[in-house]
Amino acid sequence: MRILVINGPNLNLLGQREPDVYGAVSLAEIEARLARRAAALGVASLVCRQSNHEGELVTWIQEAPGQCDGLILNPAAYTHTSVAVRDALAAVHLPCIEVHLSNTHAREAFRHVSLTAPLCLGQIQGLGPLGYELALEALVNTLNRPQK
Ligand code: CA2
């Protein structure tokens, strides 16, 4: 099983700025925790990517079929704005779980809408870095389940 993790804009700053909102854990540490959890779950390949560019996220999603079996996606601010990321998800038909570190529903109204969540199996938010590990577990569970 191959899993691709995609993080969107500004998440490279995790652990360096706004720890009150996003916590003190860096993206590198989140990825290291995910790699350990992936190994424990028997995931053959876990690739983690981050970009500040919308088009790059779109390209990675477009290229995902054939390269991975499932996606974990935190589109960051593009969650609330990007029809392009949403259209890419709709085009690939890959199981995807959306993750947010913060509880977007407890924040500004413009963060309450996700354009991408309707294209995902599910969404985990407000649980900080643990959300990524829970998403991985859910994705592995789903992919291991016999198809109906
Ligand atoms: O809670 C999340 O995971 C978000 O996707 C984070 C996005 C935000 O636009 C979404 O509404 C919710 C922002 C990521 C910014 O990350 C930073 C990390 C450290 C310092 C500054 C920004």
Side-chain angles (χ1 to χ4, degrees):
M1 185 183 303
R2 301 155 306 165
I3 306 291
L4 175 62
V5 183
I6 299 178
N7 278 293
N10 295 307
L11 288 163
N12 54 309
L13 298 177
L14 281 174
Q16 300 168 37
R17 311 258 168 82
E18 298 192 61
D20 43 320
V21 184
Y22 298 114
V25 180
S26 68
L27 186 58
E29 174 59 23
I30 289 174
E31 292 174 352
R33 290 179 191 180
L34 266 179
R36 285 196 290 272
R37 182 71 75 114
L41 290 167
V43 171
S45 154
L46 180 91
V47 173
C48 297
R49 292 180 161 164
Q50 186 275 331
S51 178
N52 294 327
H53 303 282
E54 186 176 18
E56 198 155 35
L57 302 180
V58 168
T59 297
W60 289 341
I61 293 167
Q62 283 183 12
E63 291 173 351
Q67 295 182 4
C68 72
D69 305 302
L71 289 172
I72 295 172
L73 176 66
N74 183 347
Y78 290 134
T79 306
H80 319 297
T81 64
S82 181
V83 176
V85 172
R86 177 193 169 107
D87 286 349
L89 281 175
V92 298
H93 300 294
L94 270 179
C96 178
I97 301 198
E98 182 167 310
V99 174
H100 296 286
L101 293 154
S102 64
N103 176 357
T104 62
H105 295 291
R107 302 182 65 192
E108 303 96 322
F110 68 83
R111 296 186 203 274
H112 297 179
V113 171
S114 170
L115 298 187
T116 44
L119 279 304
C120 295
L121 283 177
Q123 191 198 50
I124 296 173
Q125 59 166 304
L127 304 179
L130 178 65
Y132 287 89
E133 292 182 63
L134 297 176
L136 181 62
E137 200 159 329
L139 200 49
V140 169
N141 200 282
T142 301
L143 289 167
N144 279 336
R145 221 179 288 150
Q147 302 294 310
K148 279 185 215 150

